[in-house]
Amino acid sequence: MDSLDDFDRSLLRLLRQDCRQTGEALAQKVGLSAASCLRRVQRLRKIGAIQREVAVVSPEVLGTPVSIVVMLTLRRGGRDRVDRLRNTLQARPEVEQLLHVTGPADFILHLRCVSMDAYAAFTEAHFYDDAISGFESLVVLREHT
């Protein structure tokens, strides 16, 4: 990847907060011209520093206000078992993010559910699998962004 300078890093930090900022708004914050900022942003996209731009949609609008972080521990087994479980979980609409991690858990999931009853049904359908040895749930009380 091409090297990044301090202006590029500043632009990336600002775009992580709001990727719809205008060149003019970015220019005022980083001290470059609007045209220069836009050229830099295009370059950052081209070199892969910006992988994608997404919309963060209100969970209430989607009808999934319950946010849960789950630490999932797997039984040791073959790669096929891990791949099957990962594919199954990634296909579920409740799974907002799935991370394969080191430490006491094997996967960290961020789930969005309609209710705690819906989460209970999700656990029964997906976490009592032969590949899973246990899970721990953390219900998010408030999100601070």
Side-chain angles (χ1 to χ4, degrees):
M1 181 176 298
D2 293 352
S3 62
L4 303 179
D5 63 17
D6 289 341
F7 287 115
D8 292 330
R9 286 184 192 81
S10 294
L11 288 169
L12 289 171
R13 191 171 38 259
L14 291 166
L15 292 171
R16 285 184 63 189
Q17 296 301 312
D18 179 3
C19 69
R20 292 184 50 148
Q21 294 181 69
T22 64
E24 197 61 44
L26 292 169
Q28 290 176 3
K29 294 172 185 172
V30 300
L32 293 172
S33 71
S36 178
C37 285
L38 291 176
R39 277 193 303 275
R40 283 174 175 267
V41 170
Q42 288 171 344
R43 181 180 145 270
L44 292 168
R45 286 183 184 118
K46 184 177 178 180
I47 67 170
I50 298 173
Q51 293 179 345
R52 62 188 176 138
E53 297 172 52
V54 299
V56 179
V57 181
S58 167
E60 287 76 19
V61 169
L62 295 175
T64 55
V66 178
S67 179
I68 302 157
V69 176
V70 181
M71 295 176 285
L72 199 59
T73 306
L74 305 181
R75 285 188 169 79
R76 297 298 158 225
R79 182 82 186 148
D80 292 345
R81 178 184 263 186
V82 173
D83 288 344
R84 181 183 55 81
L85 179 63
R86 186 185 65 244
N87 291 335
T88 298
L89 292 172
Q90 282 180 314
R92 298 296 312 158
E94 299 90 344
V95 178
E96 204 164 87
Q97 189 173 29
L98 175 65
L99 305 169
H100 196 173
V101 299
T102 63
D106 296 297
F107 286 106
I108 302 291
L109 289 84
H110 179 208
L111 303 176
R112 290 274 183 194
C113 296
V114 173
S115 65
M116 287 304 293
D117 284 338
Y119 174 60
F122 184 92
T123 65
E124 292 164 2
H126 301 288
F127 294 164
Y128 295 99
D129 182 284
D130 288 341
I132 297 172
S133 65
F135 66 95
E136 187 174 338
S137 306
L138 303 167
V139 178
V140 177
L141 298 175
R142 287 191 185 98
E143 292 185 30
H144 303 281
T145 57

